[in-house]
Amino acid sequence: LAHAMLVKAEPPRRAQLVQPPKEVRLWFNEEVEKDYASLTLLDSAQAPVTESKPHIAPDDPKAIVLPLPEVAPGKYTVKFRVLSVDGHVVDSSYDFTVKSKPAAK
């Protein structure tokens, strides 16, 4: 059986970013059930950095997006859990690092 598999992530796994991301976006190889998609960004203390809820990308039903506030330099963990249309749950996580402070606006 084919299950929803992560095919791309922004920011990518183990990325070393100079600028903090404005969102986390995950692409899967098939559509995911929007009512069961979970996507969280955790800081180095494993605390969520936003109360925002993820949503299915309006331009791609195979992608979920989590808008982010400005995040400080440090190590972050992306945790996700999705239910593919065939009923299979994918539950995983990965890390990335923000290396410098956000640019002044």
Side-chain angles (χ1 to χ4, degrees):
L1 287 173
H3 302 308
M5 296 185 59
L6 183 66
V7 293
K8 183 179 174 187
E10 280 297 329
R13 186 178 306 266
R14 293 187 293 279
Q16 300 286 317
L17 305 176
V18 175
Q19 293 294 320
K22 299 205 180 309
E23 67 182 19
V24 173
R25 183 182 284 238
L26 305 178
W27 288 267
F28 295 88
N29 64 338
E30 65 179 53
E31 289 186 32
V32 295
E33 294 286 351
K34 68 177 173 62
D35 295 334
Y36 298 98
S38 169
L39 174 56
T40 308
L41 184 65
L42 305 173
D43 63 19
S44 59
Q46 298 300 296
V49 301
T50 180
E51 296 292 319
S52 294
K53 300 293 182 205
H55 60 273
I56 301 297
D59 58 340
D60 186 351
K62 297 177 183 178
I64 59 174
V65 179
L66 178 66
L68 298 177
E70 276 196 22
V71 295
K75 186 173 182 179
Y76 293 90
T77 301
V78 174
K79 288 184 63 79
F80 63 92
R81 180 180 169 99
V82 296
L83 177 67
S84 58
V85 291
D86 69 0
H88 184 77
V89 173
V90 176
D91 192 349
S92 190
S93 65
Y94 70 89
D95 296 331
F96 69 87
T97 302
V98 176
K99 294 171 74 170
S100 68
K101 294 188 178 193
K105 290 184 179 176

